Amino acid sequence: MAKPKKHVFVCTQSRPPGHPRGSCGGNGSMAVFQEFLQQFEKRGLWGRYAVTGSGCIGPCGNGPSVLVYPEGVMYGAVSKEDVAAIIDEHLLGDKPVERLKVPAEVWG
Ligand code: FES
């Protein structure tokens, strides 16, 4: 397998309703993950880029969380409608989508 130019991790962690940390799964991250899969297929991105569903990657309260490597850019509150922008601007255009980045306070 060739090393992907960029690798997208979409948190699909779920927790029981009422859990104090909440979860990306409970905030609709599965739809975001599915949208990435569909767009990767439609645009023929597999091989050059990768997308993986993951467990918790940290800022649960700002989910759905999406993490893009090698830059280590964390996006928060990502919706299905935001997926095209992440692909166009960050993956293909090499410019992270500023409006979707988690607030600096998340990193304490
Ligand atoms: S549950 Fe998604 S970041 Fe924690």
Side-chain angles (χ1 to χ4, degrees), residues 17-103:
H19 190 285
R21 289 181 68 188
S23 69
C24 294
N27 283 330
S29 67
M30 218 47 210
V32 173
F33 183 46
Q34 290 298 335
E35 182 67 18
F36 268 109
L37 295 178
Q38 280 172 19
Q39 295 229 9
F40 264 52
E41 199 63 41
K42 201 164 72 182
R43 298 172 183 231
L45 299 177
W46 295 112
R48 289 177 295 145
Y49 300 90
V51 60
T52 302
S54 81
C56 179
I57 48 178
C60 318
N62 283 333
S65 303
V66 172
L67 180 60
V68 180
Y69 277 107
E71 295 86 1
V73 170
M74 179 76 79
Y75 295 119
V78 176
S79 72
K80 193 178 149 201
E81 288 70 32
D82 296 321
V83 169
I86 294 173
I87 292 175
D88 289 333
E89 297 172 37
H90 191 160
L91 271 53
L92 302 175
D94 245 345
K95 281 204 174 122
V97 186
E98 294 298 325
R99 71 180 172 85
L100 295 174
K101 281 185 175 177
V102 292

